[in-house]
Amino acid sequence: GAMGKLFSSGLIDKTDRRAYFEYFLMSVSTCLYHQKLRQAIVLFEREQDHVFAILGSGKAEGGEEGNGVITRQKRQQYEKLKNEFVLIALGLEAWGALGKLLSILEQRDGEPLRFETACELVTRSAHRGHMLLKKGMKMLWQHEARGEDVKLDYGTAYYLLANTTGNRSIHYYSRVKIADWVWDKVSPLDDGVPLALFYARLNSHSQGKDFLKSFDVLEHLDRCHPGRADPYQMQMLTTKLSGLKIDLKNDDPLKYADCASTLDDAYAKLL
């Protein structure tokens, strides 16, 4: 609280960038130590213009390169603090503060979160079905493009498929991209892949415009787990493949409007 009052009082000389940045690091570090995330995010929001102007003014390779340029050590300290902030917020499930922080970093910060932090963000968001999953996946793909080897356990893969499919905060084509990426990660398919993953993949296809691809998943399911198809899953998939709109009443003529064309496409796929 005292550091917050000091920042708002104008007593800190913001033209002395080195001293100002030191005050900022100490203040955020103190907030995180006491798990006062609201105060920490207020500091990030209020001081972002000055902080990111300093971070963007140049990177010192060793020692100070003149007035207004922070050292490499201070930049590393900031990066460590930023990642700790995200991990603490994840641990406390402080989604509001975390969402604000990630929005600020996405707009103003030139450096992504560490690979381990991005993995933790994706895992927690997937298990909770939270809207920050999209931001986490974007960061994870950035690291993968840089050469990081991303591996998925079956549990996380299932939650990614299950919670992405019904997450309306994620655009349809982004949901398809995530589902395809997850399925590629669990391939090649064998009898070690849990049944739940096959059902989650079938559900992702039946929710979208590419439901005819369900036949490919069914083929792998029958090969890896013969005779283990779940009757309820098959009932829902059959309804989808028949073109029947189950959300409409039986006397609604639109309920059966797409049946003929949908069944023609399905039979063409089977043949």
Side-chain angles (χ1 to χ4, degrees):
M3 294 301 294
K5 290 178 181 179
L6 179 60
F7 267 97
S8 60
S9 68
L11 292 174
I12 298 178
D13 182 8
K14 294 185 179 181
T15 59
D16 185 353
R17 292 185 168 187
R18 181 171 58 85
Y20 164 80
F21 196 72
E22 182 67 26
Y23 273 116
F24 175 78
L25 291 178
M26 286 193 295
S27 299
V28 175
S29 179
T30 302
C31 291
L32 296 182
Y33 177 79
H34 293 286
Q35 295 189 346
K36 302 294 185 181
L37 301 189
R38 185 178 65 83
Q39 288 88 334
I41 199 64
V42 165
L43 279 171
F44 261 94
E45 284 186 299
R46 189 178 60 202
E47 305 298 328
Q48 59 179 301
D49 289 339
H50 297 286
V51 171
F52 292 108
I54 292 173
L55 287 169
S57 64
K59 300 179 181 180
E61 295 301 328
E64 297 170 9
E65 295 183 349
N67 187 29
V69 179
I70 59 173
T71 64
R72 181 173 15 171
Q73 182 183 11
K74 290 302 175 185
R75 177 174 288 276
Q76 290 173 345
Q77 187 178 345
Y78 161 77
E79 292 294 334
K80 179 181 179 182
L81 206 59
K82 176 180 71 177
N83 283 271
E84 286 180 354
F85 194 163
V86 173
L87 292 174
I88 291 173
L90 281 172
L92 297 175
E93 296 191 7
W95 300 107
L98 184 56
K100 286 184 178 181
L101 176 65
L102 292 178
S103 294
I104 293 172
L105 296 178
E106 187 177 34
Q107 295 172 9
R108 309 296 299 272
D109 198 337
E111 294 295 327
L113 296 174
R114 292 174 181 168
F115 175 61
E116 295 78 9
T117 308
C119 290
E120 187 68 16
L121 176 59
V122 168
T123 301
R124 293 293 186 98
S125 300
H127 278 252
R128 295 294 183 267
H130 199 269
M131 62 181 181
L132 292 180
L133 175 61
K134 182 180 179 181
K135 290 183 182 291
M137 288 302 302
K138 184 178 178 181
M139 296 177 191
L140 197 60
W141 285 334
Q142 286 177 339
H143 284 288
E144 189 175 41
R146 296 181 179 185
E148 291 285 358
D149 184 19
V150 181
K151 296 181 179 179
L152 288 180
D153 60 86
Y154 289 143
T156 302
Y158 169 77
Y159 280 110
L160 278 171
L161 283 174
N163 289 328
T164 299
T165 300
N167 196 333
R168 300 306 173 187
S169 66
I170 302 177
H171 191 273
Y172 168 73
Y173 291 107
S174 295
R175 297 200 300 267
V176 172
K177 184 179 179 181
I178 293 173
D180 289 345
W181 179 83
V182 172
W183 199 241
D184 182 63
K185 287 295 178 185
V186 299
S187 298
L189 302 173
D190 54 33
D191 55 5
V193 179
L195 279 167
L197 265 176
F198 286 97
Y199 298 149
R201 183 56 169 164
L202 286 172
N203 190 44
S204 68
H205 280 316
S206 65
Q207 292 278 341
K209 304 172 184 177
D210 58 348
F211 61 89
L212 289 177
K213 293 182 179 179
S214 301
F215 290 115
D216 298 327
V217 182
L218 286 171
E219 182 181 357
H220 288 297
L221 172 61
D222 190 51
R223 176 172 53 82
C224 297
H225 302 283
R228 297 290 302 278
D230 178 68
Y232 176 75
Q233 291 280 344
M234 295 304 100
Q235 178 187 3
M236 297 304 294
L237 183 61
T238 302
T239 302
K240 182 70 177 180
L241 290 173
S242 69
L244 190 69
K245 295 183 175 65
I246 59 175
D247 56 326
L248 299 180
K249 295 181 179 180
N250 289 335
D251 58 355
D252 191 328
L254 294 178
K255 186 178 182 73
Y256 312 97
D258 297 335
C259 286
S261 60
T262 303
L263 285 171
D264 286 344
D265 291 340
Y267 273 112
K269 173 70 175 179
L270 286 171
L271 292 174

